[in-house]
Amino acid sequence: MAKLQSPRGTTDLLPDVMNGHRHVTDTARSASLSFGYEEMATPIFEFTEVFARPLGEASDVVSKETYSFADRGGDSLTLRPEGTAGAVRALISAGLTQTLPQKYFYAGPMFRYERPQKGRMRQFHQIGVELLGVSSAIGDAEVIALGHMILNQLGVATDCVLHLNTLGDTASRSAYRQALVDYLSDHKTALSADSQRRLDLNPLRILDSKDAGDQAILVNAPDLSDYLNSLSQDHFAATRSFLDVIKIPYHINSRLVRGLDYYGHTTFEFITDALGAQGTVMAGGRYDGLASMLGGGEVSGVGWAAGIERLAMLSDIPPLKPVDVMMIGMSDAHMATLFRLAMPLRDHGLRIETAYATNLGKQMKRANRLRSRYVVILGDDEAARNVVMLRSMADGQQSEIAIDDLASHFMSPIV
Ligand code: ATP
Ligand code: MG
């Protein structure tokens, strides 16, 4: 049998890694709450149409990246590749489209069949927020401000540049799409195979191509900003002025697209060059067309998602909380005594380890490895006098403490 390992593109979140993920998620959750975004979760899998319909068969995600399967009842299901479609589906399912705005934060695993590399996994994890039912520009600015605050609290904001663009409203976008298709059609044979395919299905996505040949052709392509009607220009100007009010710097990038039909107006990405090719840590935009594609009527939406793996790689992660006390009993009876004494201390919130064996040397080694602040030792000699030996691992100081005083000693605020 081949060596057992997790499937390609997946990884185990062992405690050290999990600690980094939790730091990112906890930071994001509390920042989100400070803006009034409350946590919610949708199922890990949905009916395939929840993603296929809005994302479009033409999108990269649906055409190449989804994990879809028929379940035993014959339903076609898809592991969620992203969080927005599910969140909007949930809003509609719960009948909340008349109770707006709704403000959601989520965190959890996403699944895409991709070529794994650093910062690109098949099972990866995202945090994200969705603001549903707000069509005005303050909503666009609010989700960006929240994203920026999270990056700032994680200590990575200075490593990231906010790229900002507008795709305009539907009318502006279709005028531009036509101009872009006209231009690119003249260069069709020089485009990459992927971009040739996108020319009919999803031409805006070509702007996002990483192919050098495509890039060269795009230099002279028409610019979306020349096709914006006044409504689209006003929305973008208002978004920018809200960002200016709170002094969030941005870089206008007229090539920044989302490539999904339901995105319009604002798009943005926080990009770093500290992670090599996988530089986008947070990406989002306005998706006013999504709810109606899912059959929920007109509901405005704007939000973003960020890769937890990429954020954890950039952040300084505080180490796991060390052990407060390691308790070592030198016989089974003494182990039982310590097992009992540990309970109220744990209940009080302290992190207590009770040794699983009576070998003092080995247990002291383990106490060191766990960075335990104190060790308590109970042997025959101590038991006879109703005391325990208390050793401070910081300075090696030892003292005896009456068994009856142990709880109050550790529960008093000075320790
Ligand atoms: P890319 O152009 O890198 O493929 P994308 O447009 O597919 O990105 P989004 O769908 O916007 O990415 O996802 C938002 C964020 O989620 C990304 O900016 C990134 O941080 C993270 N992310 C996306 N796909 C992956 C993945 N396969 N592995 C790890 N993180 C990912
Ligand atoms: Mg992708």
Side-chain angles (χ1 to χ4, degrees):
M1 194 169 84
K3 191 166 147 231
L4 267 187
Q5 48 191 316
S6 75
R8 187 163 139 80
T10 70
T11 185
D12 300 306
L13 305 180
L14 293 174
D16 274 346
V17 181
M18 195 72 208
N19 183 45
H21 280 221
R22 190 171 45 239
H23 176 65
V24 169
T25 308
D26 288 352
T27 304
R29 180 186 296 110
S30 69
S32 297
L33 262 181
S34 76
F35 279 76
Y37 290 68
E38 293 192 88
E39 187 163 14
M40 59 91 81
T42 59
I44 301 286
F45 54 85
E46 298 269 0
F47 289 121
T48 294
E49 59 177 318
V50 171
F51 305 112
R53 237 197 286 169
L55 297 187
E57 297 291 344
S59 75
D60 287 354
V61 171
V62 167
S63 61
K64 298 192 296 209
E65 296 179 358
T66 48
Y67 281 90
S68 296
F69 57 97
D71 76 359
R72 288 167 200 278
D75 286 321
S76 176
L77 301 174
T78 294
L79 300 186
R80 61 183 190 193
E82 55 97 35
T84 305
V88 173
R89 196 274 308 137
L91 177 93
I92 298 167
S93 304
L96 291 170
T97 58
Q98 304 303 318
T99 318
L100 299 169
Q102 295 285 327
K103 303 163 73 168
Y104 298 140
F105 164 81
Y106 63 82
M110 306 292 164
F111 305 85
R112 297 183 192 176
Y113 190 80
E114 309 211 56
R115 195 165 63 79
Q117 47 199 294
K118 185 181 173 216
R120 189 174 294 284
M121 307 285 297
R122 289 182 174 175
Q123 175 173 339
F124 61 103
H125 299 79
Q126 284 183 337
I127 49 169
V129 302
E130 315 293 354
L131 172 61
L132 297 159
V134 175
S135 60
S136 54
I138 192 170
D140 308 51
E142 179 174 283
V143 297
I144 294 172
L146 168 53
H148 185 266
M149 180 178 284
I150 292 167
L151 297 178
N152 195 38
Q153 291 180 359
L154 289 172
V156 308
T158 49
D159 291 339
C160 296
V161 175
L162 169 58
H163 289 241
L164 189 66
N165 191 25
T166 180
L167 301 174
D169 64 1
T170 313
S172 305
R173 213 159 47 254
S174 53
Y176 174 66
R177 183 183 290 117
Q178 193 52 55
L180 183 67
V181 169
D182 289 347
Y183 170 80
L184 290 175
S185 296
D186 292 342
H187 300 83
K188 181 161 182 180
T189 50
L191 288 172
S192 67
D194 264 349
S195 291
Q196 290 191 23
R197 192 174 49 85
R198 289 176 183 141
L199 193 53
D200 300 323
L201 299 169
N202 195 356
L204 259 56
R205 187 69 207 235
I206 297 175
L207 296 177
D208 204 23
S209 169
K210 280 145 193 135
D211 180 270
D214 292 350
Q215 290 284 348
I217 294 170
L218 288 168
V219 171
N220 295 314
D223 207 303
L224 207 156
S225 54
D226 296 329
Y227 292 79
L228 299 174
N229 58 21
S230 61
L231 190 149
S232 303
Q233 288 176 11
D234 290 350
H235 188 92
F236 196 41
T239 302
R240 289 186 333 247
S241 69
F242 279 114
L243 294 176
D244 295 338
V245 165
I246 51 173
K247 298 196 165 54
I248 292 183
Y250 49 80
H251 164 78
I252 304 287
N253 175 353
S254 62
R255 296 274 186 255
L256 188 74
V257 292
R258 294 274 75 204
L260 299 172
D261 278 348
Y262 56 81
Y263 277 101
H265 291 296
T266 312
T267 61
F268 59 92
E269 291 189 5
F270 285 91
I271 302 178
T272 177
D273 49 21
L275 289 177
Q278 265 49 255
T280 302
V281 295
M282 182 179 279
R286 177 165 282 284
Y287 51 85
D288 293 346
L290 174 56
S292 60
M293 280 187 177
L294 286 170
E298 296 291 320
V299 179
S300 303
V302 59
W304 51 255
I308 295 179
E309 284 81 1
R310 293 183 197 180
L311 287 172
M313 276 191 271
L314 289 172
S315 314
D316 277 332
I317 308 294
L320 282 167
K321 183 177 171 341
V323 171
D324 291 306
V325 189
M326 168 93 165
M327 296 186 166
I328 306 172
M330 305 305 293
S331 71
D332 286 354
H334 301 323
M335 276 162 80
T337 304
L338 295 176
F339 197 56
R340 169 174 59 78
L341 292 172
M343 290 302 280
L345 297 180
R346 289 171 172 151
D347 210 18
H348 189 68
L350 292 168
R351 182 172 166 187
I352 313 290
E353 291 272 342
T354 45
Y356 302 113
T358 55
N359 177 324
L360 185 61
K362 262 197 190 159
Q363 301 310 317
M364 287 302 290
K365 262 200 197 131
R366 193 157 158 261
N368 273 316
R369 187 163 56 75
L370 292 171
R371 292 176 296 122
S372 187
R373 295 167 57 222
Y374 294 92
V375 169
V376 160
I377 300 167
L378 180 58
D380 291 344
D381 182 37
E382 290 85 10
R385 289 179 289 117
N386 274 320
V387 299
V388 294
M389 176 73 80
L390 175 65
R391 182 182 173 92
S392 160
M393 298 299 274
D395 55 15
Q397 289 276 348
Q398 297 206 143
S399 55
E400 287 187 347
I401 246 190
I403 283 184
D404 289 343
D405 294 342
L406 192 66
S408 59
H409 177 81
F410 279 110
M411 290 186 202
S412 69
I414 22 171
V415 181

